[in-house]
Each structure stands twice: as structure tokens, then as C-alpha cells.
Amino acid sequence: MKVPFLDLKAHHAPLTEEFDRAIREVIESSAFAGGPFVEKFEEEFASFCGSSYAIGVGNGTDALWLALLALGIGEGDEVITVPNTFIATAEAITYCKARPVFVDVDQDTFTMNPAELEKSLTQRTKAIIPVHLFGQPADMDPILEFARANGLFIVEDAAQAHGAQYKGRKAGTIGDAGCFSFYPGKNLGAFGEAGAVVTNDPELRKQMQMLRDHGQSRKYYHSTMGWNCRMDGIQAAILSIKLRHLDEANSLRRKHALEYNQAFAGIDEVLTPLEAKYARHVYHVYAVRVQERDATLRHLQEQGVGCAVHYPVPIHLQEAGRNLGYTKGAFPIAEKLADEFLSLPMFPELTEEQIEYVARCVSEAVGVEVFV
Ligand SMILES: *Cc1c(COP(=O)(O)O)cnc(C)c1O
């Protein structure tokens, strides 16, 4: 049997006619860069999140960067985040001329450990970026409390957490701004690159709208030096369609996660992800932890199972992060997770047979005989 890591074709197949019609509409109205389709999607996505505004941008990295810029983060500032995230979180900080400062994560949720914040606080700290890794929100209440007590902004990296919830509130709506990626493989994915920021702050929204469009307050009148971070009309039109199926797709991901968990129950060699009590996890990534990760990965690949590692090297140990001055051992939990994480196939259209097959292959690889 072959099980792909991700099957976008299966997800898109039932919607192709709708996509064709939507793309034709964009072509007919020539609204390619920004424009009415983007505005429509912004309203729909803000409403989905329960936020006042959404600002469509070019991708998730833009979203993080513009949110930080709009908050006034700049040279000499420090922004606290976690080392076990996609590089974009740290890139956005660096591209504001600020410095990423890392704190270790909680070993059960894999997200920012609020108890670690205090020791990373300096006079220069301006903001915190918790990352809702794999689709599970970070523990926001203590992070908010710490931010309030110290006058810090919170920018949520919700690039993997569309529709996830923290105590009933949507991920991305709890801090000052929430950043989303619509990279094709994300829970809500475009047909190319796209991203968005959500916020309840009208001033922040205005800043980001200007920054994404060359700092224009009106056409060819530039109040500030911005950049081009606009969202495409075609991407927005596609996202409007796919947004209507997001809740159902997330529910299926949750169902599959449960099926995996049950298949691995009683196998001590395979640690399954936990859903925090406060969370509705949306399993952008379903990652187990195994001791012999690389051998397990090889075995799965040989058996036709697509798998991946998110992420093999924490940012503080990447070549790109060398100048930040951290050494091995600085963040023991993040480092251990990087050695043990193994992401298994996860997408809404996954079948029970595929899940059973993947679980059997993993069990074989860790040396457990299974009878399913
Ligand atoms: C995907 C992702 C990003 C960046 O999004 P792009 O759209 O690829 O620029 C940022 N942070 C995290 C955690 C991500 O997974």
C-alpha cells in the first residue's frame, strides 16, 4: 500500500468546478492584485476567527513580518519565541532588525513554556511570539499575563492552527495580532502563496494595510516606506471556497488523530501527541515520538508511507542561527523533540485502512508485533 504524506488532489477533486468558476470570475473582473476578492475573503476569514479584521498578505512570513513592523518592533528590540518552529518565525523578527530570543517548550504540548519567559526578559524585550505548533495552541493565559505585566505585545504564529481553539477562542485572536499562512499544505491552503493577519485593533489594521501596499495611504501617495505584500485575487477566491470546508476538514483530522492514538495505545515505544485540556487541536501535523526516529522513518519510506520531520534542527542550532550565540543543550526539550519527532500522514481524506497500515509499519519499525 502507498500512503502519501499529504493528498491535496483528493481534497480538491470534489471542488474543481467551483474553483474553475471562481478563477474565471477573477479573470473577468481583472482583480488580480488585492481588490474585491481579497476584501471578501478578509471579511469571511475575520468572521471565521471571531476577529474584527483580517489583512490578506502574500504569505505567512509576510504576515509575521508586517505584524511586528506595524507594532513598531525594530532595531535593538528583542522578541521572545521558541526554537522548535519553522524558520519563518525567527526570520520575521530578524527582518525587523530585532533579535530573536528563544525559550524552551513544554514537553507535553510542544509549545512555549510560560514558566521560561521570566529568565529571558530584558530591558529590550518588546514582544512574544507563541507558536501554535502542529495545530495545538500554546497556553495563552499565562503568556498574556506575563506580557501585560511587562508591557509586551503578543503576536501569535497561527500558521499551523487555522480553526484551533484555546478555551473556546480561535487561535490567532488572543494576542494583539494573529498570523496565518495559506501555503498549499496548511489546513487552509491556497493554490500558491498567501497569508493573513487578524487583529481587533483598527490602528494596527491600518498600519498593516499601508505596509503591505508600498506604504500608500492613497494611490501614489506614500506615507511610509512599505513593501509589496499584497494577496492575489485568485488566491483569495480559492480560499473563500476552501474556508467553507475547513471546519469539516479539521474534524476529520481530529478523528484520524484519535484513530492513530488508539492504534498506538499500549505501544510504549511510540509516544502519541496530547491534546491539552484547554485546546481544540487541529492536527496540521500528527507527530509521534520514537527513539530510533531515523530508522523508523527509513522503514516507513520503504513501505510506501510518506513521512517527514518537523523540524530536524531547532533554529538555535541551525547555521542561520549561529550568530544568536546559543549552543547545544540550551533548550533540552526542543532539542530532544527534534531528535524524536516523526510526522505521519495526516490529511482529511485519509482512510481507516491507510491509518491501520501506517500504524502497523511504525509498530514493526519499533520492533513491536501487532495483530490488526
Ligand atoms: C508555514 C509557516 C510559516 C510561514 O508561512 P509561509 O506562508 O510559508 O510564509 C510561519 N510559521 C509557521 C509555524 C509555519 O508553519
Side-chain angles (χ1 to χ4, degrees), residues 58-62 64 85-86 88-89 131 133 157 159-160 180-183 186 193-195 284 311:
N59 53 60
T61 311
D62 279 352
L64 288 160
T85 175
F86 182 55
T89 323
V131 179
L133 194 76
D157 185 337
Q160 303 187 358
F180 291 87
S181 162
F182 305 121
Y183 183 78
K186 299 289 160 91
E193 306 275 351
H284 170 58
Y311 299 91

Side-chain angles (χ1 to χ4, degrees), residues 67-141:
L68 292 171
L69 283 180
L71 287 167
I73 308 298
E75 192 143 21
D77 294 339
E78 292 178 1
V79 178
I80 302 178
T81 189
V82 292
N84 65 329
T85 175
F86 182 55
I87 188 85
T89 323
E91 282 174 327
I93 299 168
T94 308
Y95 258 55
C96 294
K97 303 198 180 87
R99 178 187 176 77
V101 172
F102 299 118
V103 295
D104 211 349
V105 292
D106 177 84
Q107 62 175 347
D108 295 324
T109 64
F110 318 143
T111 61
M112 181 174 275
N113 182 350
E116 296 286 315
L117 287 168
E118 188 73 52
K119 63 182 182 210
S120 299
L121 184 73
T122 75
Q123 290 294 323
R124 294 164 180 265
T125 312
K126 289 284 153 55
I128 306 176
I129 309 185
V131 179
H132 305 319
L133 194 76
F134 299 163
Q136 169 137 276
D139 190 2
M140 292 303 292
D141 277 347

